[in-house]
Amino acid sequence: MNLTIYTLLLRLLLPIMLLRLLWRSLKAPAYRQRIAERLVRDTPPAAPAQVWVHAVSVGEVQAAQPLIKHLLTRDPPLAVLVTTTTPTGAARVQELFGDSVTHRYTPYDLPEVVGRFLDRVRPRLLIVMETEIWPNTLAQCAARGIRVVLANARLSARSAKGYARLAGLTRATLRRFDLIAAQGEADARRFEDLGADPQRVRVTGSIKFDLRLPASLQDQSEVMRRTWGGDRPVWVAASTHEGEDELMLTAHRRLCSRVPTALLVLVPRHPERFDRVAGLITRAGFQLARRSTRAPCTPQTGVFLGDSMGELPVFLAAADAAFIGGSLVRTGGHNPLEAAAVGVPVAIGPHVFNFAAITELLVAESAAVQVDNAAALADLMTQWLTNAALRTRVGERGRLVVERNRGALARLIELIEGQLAGNAG
């Protein structure tokens, strides 16, 4: 496939993509809002910015946070525009940065759409977080002399196979990146095998190890712990997906047969699923408390639903143990480092291709345990919640892994400053 055929197919798919937004808006009305931005028909248009940072959703925004803060506070500071694909990502940008950055939804990858966007914003540099590879966006940037960095880049073996099916288009697109800052050697090798210029690929490590915990996190977690009920054993199921919540409830029922006072803090990944998951909990026979209603958590409460935004770090810091979702279903997992950084032992399912290297490292250091099903998860949580010394030992190993692997952010910033200097004037 070449760029012309790709563009033609995307044009044919555009009505379906717009209908999909409307369909998703039935559960999450925010998808219906600001659709004009995705076609760059918004009024008023985005103002010019020196750096455009693209982060798909909440996880990528969170990872980009320290990098964006650097761009805003350097001397001289830079005007930054952040694009996201999802409303939850947009909300997180607002929470973290307020009016200090401009936010827009990501323009669809059609040449005239991206061209309008670039002509309005006129960035010197585009920083793309993790794995977003858009052929027309890269081509339009190249035509205007805009440098492009793929930051904190990761590429699983599974994704690499998919890109390899479009070998010609993939090679031409990857060659347009001025820099690919890969999380690990395996990621770098896969990019090069697909056609990236080896001279433009660097291994910087994952900036997710450089997460900075808020100074108030300890105090917030202590307040949350009292909300849950003092001495109760508590485990968090973080960022769960469709089909996974039922598994968490099955595991919790098995756990409660051995540890009757245990509390599950269930935190679905997507806000549009909060009400549905609440229904699952009550139908499963558990007494429910919802964070959104500030309902008290009584000794009879079996499940606490974390149906709020931005509080997952507090839930994790307040808990005794954690399961990281998206990994017992074939979603690819989520970042386990937020839990590891606060010394909480981590359980992860088998499907972790989005965080393969990080998971492998934590497991190799005995800082995390992989489980294959709900029964195994319940057995593991039983061990951790009934043995404080064991869970403390596992959690401390995780905290040390995070500390030893910090430094990727500084390396990435140095490379990005080089790109800005090379594109000055």
Side-chain angles (χ1 to χ4, degrees):
M1 180 186 291
N2 59 28
L3 188 59
T4 302
I5 295 174
Y6 163 81
T7 303
L8 176 61
L9 289 174
L10 200 60
R11 288 191 201 287
L12 294 173
L13 289 171
L14 183 59
I16 297 173
M17 293 158 64
L18 294 172
L19 285 172
R20 184 170 181 268
L21 284 180
L22 295 175
W23 174 257
R24 296 191 74 174
S25 74
L26 296 176
K27 291 185 178 179
Y31 277 100
R32 195 181 308 124
Q33 300 163 1
R34 298 166 59 185
I35 289 178
E37 290 181 12
R38 301 178 191 263
L39 297 168
V40 195
R41 296 294 186 187
D42 48 314
T43 303
Q50 292 156 299
V51 180
W52 168 17
V53 177
H54 173 56
V56 180
S57 193
V58 175
E60 291 79 11
V61 171
Q62 199 69 39
Q65 178 186 3
L67 175 59
I68 295 171
K69 283 188 174 180
H70 166 77
L71 296 171
L72 294 173
T73 57
R74 72 192 285 278
D75 187 17
L78 296 169
V80 177
L81 178 140
V82 182
T83 58
T84 64
T85 303
T86 67
T88 52
R92 191 62 180 146
V93 171
Q94 178 62 33
E95 289 169 7
L96 291 174
F97 303 109
D99 295 332
S100 61
V101 304
T102 302
H103 173 268
R104 285 293 186 276
Y105 283 115
T106 313
Y108 283 129
D109 193 42
L110 290 167
E112 66 278 10
V113 174
V114 177
R116 281 197 301 272
F117 186 80
L118 293 175
D119 290 343
R120 292 176 178 184
V121 177
R122 301 194 299 276
R124 289 164 52 189
L125 177 68
L126 165 58
I127 301 173
V128 181
M129 297 302 297
E130 301 201 0
T131 9
E132 291 285 285
I133 303 172
W134 294 107
N136 279 314
T137 298
L138 272 288
Q140 292 293 315
C141 284
R144 290 165 174 76
I146 300 166
R147 296 199 173 197
V148 186
V149 172
L150 187 60
N152 207 44
R154 58 181 174 85
L155 188 64
S156 67
R158 176 180 174 178
S159 294
K161 288 180 181 177
Y163 282 116
R165 296 189 186 101
L166 307 172
L169 181 61
T170 297
R171 177 181 174 83
T173 302
L174 289 177
R175 287 268 160 174
R176 290 195 167 104
F177 280 108
D178 294 279
L179 170 68
I180 296 176
Q183 292 187 19
E185 294 287 351
D187 301 290
R189 186 171 60 253
R190 290 181 191 119
F191 281 114
E192 291 173 6
D193 289 345
L194 288 170
D197 182 353
Q199 299 301 313
R200 298 182 178 186
V201 179
R202 299 286 187 275
V203 177
T204 55
S206 173
I207 63 174
K208 293 190 174 181
F209 283 103
D210 289 285
L211 75 172
R212 291 287 177 260
L213 303 175
S216 61
L217 184 61
Q218 183 63 36
D219 290 340
Q220 289 179 284
S221 68
E222 289 175 0
V223 171
M224 185 62 64
R225 187 71 191 212
R226 289 195 293 272
T227 298
W228 292 340
D231 295 333
R232 293 186 70 177
V234 179
W235 68 291
V236 172
S239 300
T240 56
H241 283 253
E242 191 82 33
E244 206 165 32
D245 307 288
E246 294 89 341
L247 298 175
M248 297 303 102
L249 296 173
T250 298
H252 190 54
R253 180 175 289 105
R254 183 181 177 106
L255 169 65
C256 288
S257 68
R258 306 156 180 175
V259 188
T261 58
L263 176 69
L264 166 62
V265 177
L266 183 55
V267 189
R269 178 70 173 181
H270 299 113
E272 61 266 29
R273 297 182 53 248
F274 287 161
D275 288 342
R276 181 180 181 279
V277 174
L280 286 175
I281 293 167
T282 54
R283 286 195 297 275
F286 292 105
Q287 189 173 117
L288 167 67
R290 297 183 67 156
R291 175 60 173 168
S292 60
T293 65
R294 297 297 194 268
C297 202
T298 70
Q300 289 73 42
T301 302
V303 180
F304 180 92
L305 181 61
D307 55 347
S308 59
M309 294 298 295
E311 288 195 296
L312 181 57
V314 178
F315 297 152
L316 290 170
D320 297 306
F323 168 79
I324 306 302
S327 59
L328 272 180
V329 291
R330 295 181 181 275
T331 301
H334 292 290
N335 184 11
L337 296 179
E338 284 185 322
V342 292
V344 171
V346 176
I348 314 173
H351 306 294
V352 293
F353 50 83
N354 288 335
F355 292 88
I358 289 174
T359 301
E360 288 170 11
L361 177 59
L362 289 172
V363 171
E365 295 288 338
S366 299
V369 176
Q370 284 189 280
V371 294
D372 291 330
N373 51 52
L377 176 60
D379 293 345
L380 179 63
M381 287 299 161
T382 301
Q383 293 179 40
W384 283 348
L385 296 184
T386 58
N387 189 331
L390 173 61
R391 67 174 181 261
T392 299
R393 191 159 59 246
V394 176
E396 180 62 14
R397 290 189 192 117
R399 192 188 64 77
L400 291 174
V401 167
V402 174
E403 289 299 322
R404 286 198 302 267
N405 285 275
R406 292 187 187 274
L409 179 63
R411 292 187 286 272
L412 177 60
I413 286 173
E414 182 179 0
L415 290 170
I416 285 175
E417 287 292 340
Q419 292 295 316
L420 287 166
N423 204 31

PDB file of all heavy atoms in Angstrom, residues 9-19 39 108 110 112-113:
ATOM      1  N   LEU A   9      -8.610   5.194   1.081  1.00  0.00           N
ATOM      2  CA  LEU A   9      -9.340   4.339   2.023  1.00  0.00           C
ATOM      3  C   LEU A   9      -9.828   5.147   3.223  1.00  0.00           C
ATOM      4  O   LEU A   9     -10.955   4.953   3.706  1.00  0.00           O
ATOM      5  CB  LEU A   9      -8.440   3.194   2.488  1.00  0.00           C
ATOM      6  CG  LEU A   9      -8.134   2.115   1.444  1.00  0.00           C
ATOM      7  CD1 LEU A   9      -7.110   1.120   1.995  1.00  0.00           C
ATOM      8  CD2 LEU A   9      -9.404   1.383   1.040  1.00  0.00           C
ATOM      9  N   LEU A  10      -8.983   6.055   3.704  1.00  0.00           N
ATOM     10  CA  LEU A  10      -9.372   6.864   4.858  1.00  0.00           C
ATOM     11  C   LEU A  10     -10.548   7.777   4.509  1.00  0.00           C
ATOM     12  O   LEU A  10     -11.454   7.976   5.329  1.00  0.00           O
ATOM     13  CB  LEU A  10      -8.175   7.688   5.339  1.00  0.00           C
ATOM     14  CG  LEU A  10      -8.244   8.211   6.779  1.00  0.00           C
ATOM     15  CD1 LEU A  10      -8.364   7.051   7.761  1.00  0.00           C
ATOM     16  CD2 LEU A  10      -7.007   9.038   7.102  1.00  0.00           C
ATOM     17  N   ARG A  11     -10.557   8.308   3.284  1.00  0.00           N
ATOM     18  CA  ARG A  11     -11.695   9.136   2.856  1.00  0.00           C
ATOM     19  C   ARG A  11     -12.988   8.319   2.857  1.00  0.00           C
ATOM     20  O   ARG A  11     -14.049   8.791   3.276  1.00  0.00           O
ATOM     21  CB  ARG A  11     -11.447   9.684   1.454  1.00  0.00           C
ATOM     22  CG  ARG A  11     -10.412  10.765   1.373  1.00  0.00           C
ATOM     23  CD  ARG A  11     -10.432  11.414  -0.016  1.00  0.00           C
ATOM     24  NE  ARG A  11      -9.184  12.078  -0.295  1.00  0.00           N
ATOM     25  CZ  ARG A  11      -8.779  13.212   0.248  1.00  0.00           C
ATOM     26  NH1 ARG A  11      -9.562  13.810   1.130  1.00  0.00           N
ATOM     27  NH2 ARG A  11      -7.621  13.747  -0.069  1.00  0.00           N
ATOM     28  N   LEU A  12     -12.896   7.089   2.363  1.00  0.00           N
ATOM     29  CA  LEU A  12     -14.078   6.227   2.329  1.00  0.00           C
ATOM     30  C   LEU A  12     -14.557   5.875   3.730  1.00  0.00           C
ATOM     31  O   LEU A  12     -15.760   5.702   3.959  1.00  0.00           O
ATOM     32  CB  LEU A  12     -13.758   4.950   1.542  1.00  0.00           C
ATOM     33  CG  LEU A  12     -13.463   5.136   0.045  1.00  0.00           C
ATOM     34  CD1 LEU A  12     -12.984   3.825  -0.576  1.00  0.00           C
ATOM     35  CD2 LEU A  12     -14.693   5.666  -0.692  1.00  0.00           C
ATOM     36  N   LEU A  13     -13.621   5.779   4.660  1.00  0.00           N
ATOM     37  CA  LEU A  13     -13.963   5.395   6.037  1.00  0.00           C
ATOM     38  C   LEU A  13     -14.423   6.574   6.885  1.00  0.00           C
ATOM     39  O   LEU A  13     -14.978   6.365   7.969  1.00  0.00           O
ATOM     40  CB  LEU A  13     -12.749   4.739   6.709  1.00  0.00           C
ATOM     41  CG  LEU A  13     -12.370   3.337   6.224  1.00  0.00           C
ATOM     42  CD1 LEU A  13     -11.032   2.915   6.823  1.00  0.00           C
ATOM     43  CD2 LEU A  13     -13.448   2.331   6.598  1.00  0.00           C
ATOM     44  N   LEU A  14     -14.206   7.813   6.421  1.00  0.00           N
ATOM     45  CA  LEU A  14     -14.507   8.977   7.250  1.00  0.00           C
ATOM     46  C   LEU A  14     -15.956   9.002   7.729  1.00  0.00           C
ATOM     47  O   LEU A  14     -16.197   9.261   8.926  1.00  0.00           O
ATOM     48  CB  LEU A  14     -14.161  10.262   6.490  1.00  0.00           C
ATOM     49  CG  LEU A  14     -14.367  11.565   7.263  1.00  0.00           C
ATOM     50  CD1 LEU A  14     -13.521  11.577   8.524  1.00  0.00           C
ATOM     51  CD2 LEU A  14     -14.042  12.769   6.384  1.00  0.00           C
ATOM     52  N   PRO A  15     -16.966   8.736   6.890  1.00  0.00           N
ATOM     53  CA  PRO A  15     -18.347   8.722   7.415  1.00  0.00           C
ATOM     54  C   PRO A  15     -18.542   7.706   8.534  1.00  0.00           C
ATOM     55  O   PRO A  15     -19.259   7.969   9.505  1.00  0.00           O
ATOM     56  CB  PRO A  15     -19.186   8.362   6.177  1.00  0.00           C
ATOM     57  CG  PRO A  15     -18.356   8.784   5.009  1.00  0.00           C
ATOM     58  CD  PRO A  15     -16.941   8.515   5.421  1.00  0.00           C
ATOM     59  N   ILE A  16     -17.892   6.560   8.405  1.00  0.00           N
ATOM     60  CA  ILE A  16     -18.000   5.530   9.452  1.00  0.00           C
ATOM     61  C   ILE A  16     -17.349   6.023  10.735  1.00  0.00           C
ATOM     62  O   ILE A  16     -17.864   5.800  11.842  1.00  0.00           O
ATOM     63  CB  ILE A  16     -17.358   4.212   8.973  1.00  0.00           C
ATOM     64  CG1 ILE A  16     -18.116   3.686   7.750  1.00  0.00           C
ATOM     65  CG2 ILE A  16     -17.340   3.174  10.085  1.00  0.00           C
ATOM     66  CD1 ILE A  16     -17.471   2.489   7.094  1.00  0.00           C
ATOM     67  N   MET A  17     -16.209   6.710  10.604  1.00  0.00           N
ATOM     68  CA  MET A  17     -15.516   7.234  11.782  1.00  0.00           C
ATOM     69  C   MET A  17     -16.370   8.266  12.504  1.00  0.00           C
ATOM     70  O   MET A  17     -16.434   8.298  13.740  1.00  0.00           O
ATOM     71  CB  MET A  17     -14.169   7.834  11.351  1.00  0.00           C
ATOM     72  CG  MET A  17     -13.178   6.792  10.838  1.00  0.00           C
ATOM     73  SD  MET A  17     -11.889   7.469   9.762  1.00  0.00           S
ATOM     74  CE  MET A  17     -11.031   8.554  10.878  1.00  0.00           C
ATOM     75  N   LEU A  18     -17.054   9.114  11.733  1.00  0.00           N
ATOM     76  CA  LEU A  18     -17.929  10.115  12.348  1.00  0.00           C
ATOM     77  C   LEU A  18     -19.142   9.464  13.005  1.00  0.00           C
ATOM     78  O   LEU A  18     -19.562   9.861  14.105  1.00  0.00           O
ATOM     79  CB  LEU A  18     -18.374  11.129  11.292  1.00  0.00           C
ATOM     80  CG  LEU A  18     -17.253  12.013  10.721  1.00  0.00           C
ATOM     81  CD1 LEU A  18     -17.765  12.842   9.547  1.00  0.00           C
ATOM     82  CD2 LEU A  18     -16.678  12.922  11.795  1.00  0.00           C
ATOM     83  N   LEU A  19     -19.689   8.438  12.357  1.00  0.00           N
ATOM     84  CA  LEU A  19     -20.803   7.709  12.961  1.00  0.00           C
ATOM     85  C   LEU A  19     -20.384   7.011  14.243  1.00  0.00           C
ATOM     86  O   LEU A  19     -21.154   6.927  15.210  1.00  0.00           O
ATOM     87  CB  LEU A  19     -21.367   6.688  11.964  1.00  0.00           C
ATOM     88  CG  LEU A  19     -22.213   7.259  10.826  1.00  0.00           C
ATOM     89  CD1 LEU A  19     -22.531   6.174   9.805  1.00  0.00           C
ATOM     90  CD2 LEU A  19     -23.504   7.878  11.374  1.00  0.00           C
ATOM     91  N   LEU A  39     -12.050  17.874  12.236  1.00  0.00           N
ATOM     92  CA  LEU A  39     -12.008  18.187  10.810  1.00  0.00           C
ATOM     93  C   LEU A  39     -11.367  19.558  10.553  1.00  0.00           C
ATOM     94  O   LEU A  39     -11.301  20.032   9.425  1.00  0.00           O
ATOM     95  CB  LEU A  39     -13.423  18.179  10.232  1.00  0.00           C
ATOM     96  CG  LEU A  39     -14.140  16.825  10.297  1.00  0.00           C
ATOM     97  CD1 LEU A  39     -15.616  16.995   9.974  1.00  0.00           C
ATOM     98  CD2 LEU A  39     -13.492  15.829   9.351  1.00  0.00           C
ATOM     99  N   TYR A 108      -8.184  14.533  11.899  1.00  0.00           N
ATOM    100  CA  TYR A 108      -8.167  13.287  11.123  1.00  0.00           C
ATOM    101  C   TYR A 108      -7.019  13.321  10.118  1.00  0.00           C
ATOM    102  O   TYR A 108      -6.685  14.365   9.552  1.00  0.00           O
ATOM    103  CB  TYR A 108      -9.501  13.087  10.405  1.00  0.00           C
ATOM    104  CG  TYR A 108     -10.597  12.613  11.325  1.00  0.00           C
ATOM    105  CD1 TYR A 108     -11.826  13.272  11.363  1.00  0.00           C
ATOM    106  CD2 TYR A 108     -10.421  11.508  12.151  1.00  0.00           C
ATOM    107  CE1 TYR A 108     -12.844  12.839  12.207  1.00  0.00           C
ATOM    108  CE2 TYR A 108     -11.427  11.075  12.986  1.00  0.00           C
ATOM    109  CZ  TYR A 108     -12.634  11.739  13.024  1.00  0.00           C
ATOM    110  OH  TYR A 108     -13.635  11.315  13.866  1.00  0.00           O
ATOM    111  N   LEU A 110      -6.115  13.196   7.151  1.00  0.00           N
ATOM    112  CA  LEU A 110      -6.313  13.464   5.729  1.00  0.00           C
ATOM    113  C   LEU A 110      -5.474  14.680   5.360  1.00  0.00           C
ATOM    114  O   LEU A 110      -5.365  15.632   6.157  1.00  0.00           O
ATOM    115  CB  LEU A 110      -7.784  13.724   5.428  1.00  0.00           C
ATOM    116  CG  LEU A 110      -8.698  12.503   5.555  1.00  0.00           C
ATOM    117  CD1 LEU A 110     -10.165  12.925   5.543  1.00  0.00           C
ATOM    118  CD2 LEU A 110      -8.423  11.519   4.415  1.00  0.00           C
ATOM    119  N   GLU A 112      -5.716  17.409   3.506  1.00  0.00           N
ATOM    120  CA  GLU A 112      -6.271  18.761   3.589  1.00  0.00           C
ATOM    121  C   GLU A 112      -6.628  19.134   5.021  1.00  0.00           C
ATOM    122  O   GLU A 112      -6.509  20.303   5.428  1.00  0.00           O
ATOM    123  CB  GLU A 112      -7.499  18.895   2.676  1.00  0.00           C
ATOM    124  CG  GLU A 112      -8.716  18.068   3.068  1.00  0.00           C
ATOM    125  CD  GLU A 112      -8.669  16.618   2.607  1.00  0.00           C
ATOM    126  OE1 GLU A 112      -7.601  16.161   2.133  1.00  0.00           O
ATOM    127  OE2 GLU A 112      -9.710  15.944   2.717  1.00  0.00           O
ATOM    128  N   VAL A 113      -7.042  18.147   5.829  1.00  0.00           N
ATOM    129  CA  VAL A 113      -7.386  18.416   7.230  1.00  0.00           C
ATOM    130  C   VAL A 113      -6.123  18.745   8.024  1.00  0.00           C
ATOM    131  O   VAL A 113      -6.053  19.769   8.720  1.00  0.00           O
ATOM    132  CB  VAL A 113      -8.123  17.210   7.841  1.00  0.00           C
ATOM    133  CG1 VAL A 113      -8.362  17.425   9.343  1.00  0.00           C
ATOM    134  CG2 VAL A 113      -9.448  16.975   7.135  1.00  0.00           C
TER     135      VAL A 113
END
